[in-house]
Amino acid sequence: MAQGTNPLAIRTKKYQLDKNDYTRMALGQVWSKSWWQALIPLVLFLLPAVFSFSWWWVAGAIIVTLLFVLLRSAQVMSVTQVEQGSPLFEKLTYEIDPRQILLKRNEREGMTLTWDMIERAQKKDSGYMLWLQPPNDAQLPSGWKGWVARTFQVPVFIHMPFRIFNSPNDLKLMESYLRRKNLLA
């Protein structure tokens, strides 16, 4: 038996997240949390300069650190290029109710996102950011590849700007859902 639409559901306007906006927000999130990781290659390559100073050691340390920053940033930006990330950048409408969030391309095509798939939510100046749960250890490869995947995870989120909501009541209801699910502090 098919379920009808929930009368308490919030229905939004169509919205498409720009890839450049996603990149900017994701890079900001990554580097605000893990800026200290860029210090590791800098310190390791400057250590020989402490014992036997040479500008070559300093230049090498700076170059290796810049390469690390560029590679980590490229890893974050790659989400916009891979096939698995394409649903994040399609024009979608959202239907939000107490059970789930429906991401709809049109009336027939869509995807269900249950509330337990969301790790946390943030209320920013521009809108809500819903951070998706990272993969668990069973979903990651084992060995050194699993360690790299856990250490250098790329944040995946859904951005819902305030302008896509149809009324101030929808915004209040959305915030109420997020608070009831303990996603918004």
Side-chain angles (χ1 to χ4, degrees):
M1 186 166 86
Q3 294 179 351
T5 59
N6 187 341
L8 293 177
I10 302 169
R11 287 168 190 79
T12 66
K13 300 171 190 168
K14 278 196 175 256
Y15 172 68
Q16 182 175 10
L17 178 61
D18 184 47
K19 291 181 179 185
N20 292 330
D21 290 342
Y22 174 86
T23 302
R24 183 179 42 78
M25 288 185 266
L27 282 174
Q29 179 69 23
V30 164
W31 288 117
S32 68
K33 275 187 175 179
S34 57
W35 60 269
W36 59 271
Q37 290 177 345
L39 295 178
I40 295 171
L42 182 68
V43 169
L44 286 177
F45 279 85
L46 279 179
L47 234 103
V50 171
F51 300 109
S52 172
F53 184 79
S54 171
W55 286 107
W56 290 108
W57 288 115
V58 175
I62 292 171
I63 290 171
V64 169
T65 302
L66 286 175
L67 285 174
F68 174 78
V69 169
L70 288 174
L71 286 173
R72 180 71 171 121
S73 298
Q75 178 193 24
V76 172
M77 290 188 290
S78 69
V79 171
T80 62
Q81 305 300 318
V82 295
E83 181 71 28
Q84 294 88 345
S86 65
L88 292 172
F89 309 108
E90 292 180 3
K91 198 163 201 158
L92 303 169
T93 58
Y94 301 98
E95 194 171 301
I96 305 148
D97 66 30
R99 296 172 295 145
Q100 64 198 4
I101 299 174
L102 291 173
L103 290 76
K104 295 174 140 183
R105 267 191 212 138
N106 53 41
E107 286 303 314
R108 291 189 205 113
E109 292 181 76
M111 182 174 102
T112 303
L113 193 65
T114 58
W115 287 104
D116 62 342
M117 296 169 79
I118 298 172
E119 179 181 28
R120 63 188 165 93
Q122 280 181 303
K123 186 176 181 181
K124 298 270 189 171
D125 293 336
S126 60
Y128 295 106
M129 292 180 74
L130 306 177
W131 300 90
L132 301 182
Q133 290 278 1
N136 58 29
D137 288 339
Q139 296 170 324
L140 293 173
S142 60
W144 69 272
K145 290 179 183 177
W147 175 82
V148 169
R150 276 187 299 282
T151 306
F152 300 111
Q153 276 186 351
V154 176
V156 179
F157 58 87
I158 296 172
H159 182 249
M160 301 173 114
F162 296 136
R163 63 179 156 67
I164 68 170
F165 292 93
N166 293 314
S167 72
N169 288 337
D170 287 348
L171 284 169
K172 288 179 187 174
L173 188 57
M174 177 68 177
E175 189 160 343
S176 169
Y177 287 157
L178 293 173
R179 289 196 191 281
R180 271 190 249 149
K181 302 294 181 185
N182 292 323
L183 297 171
L184 197 61

